[in-house]
Amino acid sequence: MKRATLTFDNGPDRAITPAVLAILRRRNVRAHFFFLGKHLAEPEGRALVARVVAEGHFVGNHSFSHEVPLGDDPRPDAVAAEIAATEALLEPLVPGPKRFRPFGGGGILGPHLLSRAAVTHLVEHGSSCVLWTSVPRDWVDPSGWAARALADCLAQPHAVVVLHDIPDACLAGLEGFLDAAEREGIELVTDLPVSVTPILDGKIVGDLDAIVAP
């Protein structure tokens, strides 16, 4: 049986995140949400994090600003400003393991994802680095992404799909995608294949050469 893990990046959004949660609740699907620190400065954003956790989903860190991939960020304090600042906002709200998804700049895997300092921080803080295997580009094609996501899920034993709980992205196609996945017998799960977690709970378990700046 094919398996897929749904992940949602760049939220929380006051309108879209609750709508996504409502669909997932109706379909009894659990997912991973990777949130931006800049959306957690206001109480409304933090309340959405608490709601996501309460509804049985997993929450991770997707950097603070989502502007420059860490492997390309020249700031000496980039790790503190992007990873640690978001961790500080999430920590009171999110129990359990720390998960960090690097900003890829369009979902591209490469050495721009992480700096050596970022790797050191993740290891020292017992965090996991969570990558992906499917980027159907819902933010570019809100109505057509579902077909590409389904094709990726059918082509892989276990796809980790990147969607976005932001305006003009996944929402229009989400119900249809879930219908199609059910018809095709794709099992929607929350576990993450080892291939997408090269750092797991602070331990380097995969090859980092391709995703860390030299």
Side-chain angles (χ1 to χ4, degrees):
M1 176 181 285
K2 302 290 187 181
R3 307 170 86 222
T5 300
L6 298 186
T7 68
F8 295 86
D9 288 5
N10 295 16
D13 179 88
R14 66 179 63 188
I16 304 302
T17 303
V20 167
L21 288 173
I23 292 171
L24 297 179
R25 184 171 60 251
R26 286 198 301 272
R27 307 299 291 258
N28 195 30
V29 172
R30 293 162 66 216
H32 293 256
F33 290 78
F34 293 94
F35 288 144
L36 300 182
K38 66 183 182 182
H39 296 324
L40 306 179
E42 298 299 324
E44 188 173 22
R46 295 193 294 275
L48 282 170
V49 175
R51 177 178 169 185
V52 169
V53 172
E55 295 193 13
H57 304 285
F58 297 92
V59 170
N61 177 342
H62 191 38
S63 81
F64 192 91
S65 69
H66 198 263
E67 290 179 357
V68 180
L70 283 167
D72 292 339
D73 197 326
R75 296 175 296 167
D77 67 341
V79 171
E82 297 296 334
I83 303 179
T86 305
E87 277 177 359
L89 291 165
L90 287 173
E91 203 158 19
L93 303 168
V94 182
K98 295 179 181 177
R99 296 176 176 88
F100 175 72
R101 166 164 282 172
F103 168 43
I108 300 166
L109 295 170
H112 61 293
L113 292 185
L114 295 172
S115 62
R116 295 290 172 187
V119 172
T120 298
H121 178 93
L122 295 175
V123 169
E124 290 181 349
H125 289 78
S127 299
S128 298
C129 175
V130 180
L131 304 178
W132 52 87
T133 70
S134 170
V135 184
R137 299 178 67 82
D138 57 330
W139 74 97
V140 174
D141 186 4
S143 60
W145 67 265
R148 288 188 293 276
L150 184 67
D152 286 344
C153 292
L154 291 172
Q156 302 174 30
H158 187 166
V160 178
V161 182
V162 177
L163 302 175
H164 296 81
D165 54 324
I166 59 173
D168 301 316
C170 80
L171 190 58
L174 187 55
E175 289 266 25
F177 169 76
L178 294 175
D179 287 339
E182 184 176 355
R183 286 195 301 271
E184 294 289 349
I186 296 167
E187 183 184 9
L188 297 175
V189 298
T190 57
D191 57 307
L192 297 162
V194 67
S195 60
V196 303
T197 55
I199 304 173
L200 183 63
D201 297 331
K203 296 180 175 59
I204 296 174
V205 297
D207 185 5
L208 297 179
D209 289 346
I211 61 168
V212 180

